[in-house]
Amino acid sequence: MATDCFLDLHEPTPTVYLDQWVWIRLARAANGSPREASDVDALAAVRDASAAGVVFPLSHTHYFETSKITDPRQRFDLARIMASVSHGRTLRSRQVLMRHQVLHAMYECFGRPTFRPKRPQVLGFGAMWAVTGEHAPLALYGPAGKINVDASPELQSWLRQANQYAEFQVLAGPRDEEISELRAKYGYQPETALQSARSRLEWESTYSQLLASDPVSRPELRVRVQAREMMHEHSQLLTELLAEYRLDLHRAVGLDPTKPESGRKKMVAFADRIASVRIAVDLKTELFRNRARPWKLSALHDIDALSLAVPYCHVVVPDADMADLLSRSDAGQRSGTGIVKQLRDLPSELQTLRSRSDFEMTSTCVPDGYDPAAEFCTDMDLLHRTAPWKTGSAASP
């Protein structure tokens, strides 16, 4: 249970977020080349927990970081372990979750909306859920149009496997020989996302350089970082919500143009009510304080991922640097989220998590008929062998 957090965002189902380095270590263990002997035990514990109903969701960051791996074989090996453990479950897109968080902060601080905002569904299935916040499953079509698979258990099972295999392929990314065709026919441009990320990195790096010539106290730095975060990352969302609920922010925070800083206290309190903003601000503040450390894309991606994972997941396994920064800011304790620093410590944490009696050990966040104990389909040959029209079904592909 969250301690100092105004809104408990944790899922009713036990949920564990693994940073990319953890998935890489698990993939190496699955391939028989663990980095440490204890990684084999960690892999077994994660698989057992997943089969028992613990959710290991992926985020948009996982897809992006996996796509940067240049070796297709490494991507496929990594995607196979990620898909088989996560079962394709993902955290919902940032824009949907942040909308709810900002609305709830407006409700608590300003009284608008006048009703408590409804919590959105957080856990879902597939890359589209992580990127856009909506499900986009494959459908089955025959000569007469879309086939209703509800009347056929065989078709339901096969289509579920087809969706699983498709998600595995999205996570693994295209093979080298497929890229030219994807660019020509479908406008495939993975560099666009990288350009956007580099623009955001430049925004942070530039301020780091400014701080070198204009140092400020830690409290003042945090306020400035918070203002930059709201302006650069969430200004469009905030502007839309203020207009939607006809709220004048200056009036709401008590800003008096003749009195400098008159609205600062209320604005800081409002931003701190937004759980993901508060975590991102705390992490970035600590990074800005270390002037000898240059900003990197990896740090930006980690902050994006952790600012969502920490409020919604019960256990988070970040890398060593981020674990240290989370510890300094008390983000885990404030949110009621366990921060695991060493992979060897994960099995005992999973055992503790599974022993809690206040969890729902089943999930409705994936397609009907989901069975966490069943193998996730990462094999095209399996689809061919189990196609219902190959086994006497009256349905046609």
Side-chain angles (χ1 to χ4, degrees), residues 99 145 205 292:
R99 176 182 170 85
S205 298

Side-chain angles (χ1 to χ4, degrees), residues 322-375:
M322 286 297 155
D324 179 56
L325 297 182
L326 287 169
S327 177
R328 292 185 201 176
S329 65
D330 290 327
Q333 182 177 2
R334 185 175 65 243
S335 301
T337 299
I339 307 297
V340 177
K341 299 181 179 181
Q342 300 288 339
L343 184 53
R344 67 175 68 96
D345 297 329
L346 182 57
S348 61
E349 191 73 23
L350 291 176
Q351 188 61 41
T352 300
L353 194 66
R354 291 172 59 180
S355 67
R356 286 175 52 176
S357 60
D358 57 331
F359 282 136
E360 297 176 8
M361 293 303 292
T362 58
S363 176
T364 58
C365 66
V366 289
D368 292 340
Y370 162 75
D371 180 1
E375 183 178 1

Side-chain angles (χ1 to χ4, degrees), residues 13 51 127 139 239 241 278 282 333 335 370:
T13 304
T239 299
L241 292 178
R278 184 170 182 175
D282 285 341
Q333 182 177 2
S335 301
Y370 162 75

Side-chain angles (χ1 to χ4, degrees), residues 58-186:
L58 304 177
S59 70
H60 176 266
T61 300
H62 286 120
Y63 288 88
F64 183 81
E65 292 188 334
T66 301
S67 71
K68 292 191 300 178
I69 299 174
T70 57
D71 186 335
R73 173 47 54 192
Q74 290 181 3
R75 287 202 312 271
F76 271 72
D77 288 344
L78 178 59
R80 185 168 288 107
I81 192 66
M82 295 171 85
S84 63
V85 169
S86 72
H87 283 262
R89 286 164 294 184
T90 51
L91 289 173
R92 200 164 192 176
S93 66
R94 173 175 293 273
Q95 57 263 39
V96 174
L97 299 183
M98 290 306 304
R99 176 182 170 85
H100 171 250
Q101 289 189 33
V102 174
L103 269 179
H104 196 277
M106 288 170 53
Y107 163 77
E108 289 194 323
C109 294
F110 309 137
R112 291 188 187 178
T114 57
F115 55 88
R116 185 179 297 276
K118 182 180 178 181
R119 174 189 174 93
Q121 181 180 333
V122 176
L123 293 173
F125 179 82
M128 290 296 289
W129 186 258
V131 176
T132 69
E134 301 297 331
H135 284 131
L138 300 177
L140 192 60
Y141 289 83
K146 186 177 180 180
I147 297 174
N148 180 12
V149 301
D150 294 340
S152 171
E154 295 83 1
L155 283 177
Q156 279 186 324
S157 176
W158 184 88
L159 185 58
R160 186 163 57 252
Q161 289 179 328
N163 273 285
Q164 290 175 354
Y165 182 76
E167 289 300 332
F168 162 67
Q169 287 291 317
V170 170
L171 184 57
R175 294 179 173 85
D176 292 343
E177 61 271 20
E178 299 171 332
I179 292 179
S180 59
E181 182 179 2
L182 288 173
R183 287 185 180 278
K185 291 186 177 181
Y186 304 102

Side-chain angles (χ1 to χ4, degrees), residues 38-60:
S38 59
D39 290 0
V40 176
D41 296 330
L43 175 62
V46 166
R47 282 173 164 165
D48 288 345
S50 176
V54 176
V55 181
F56 293 87
L58 304 177
S59 70
H60 176 266

Side-chain angles (χ1 to χ4, degrees), residues 254-264:
L255 177 64
D256 184 344
T258 66
K259 298 179 180 178
E261 301 184 4
S262 55
R264 172 186 280 212

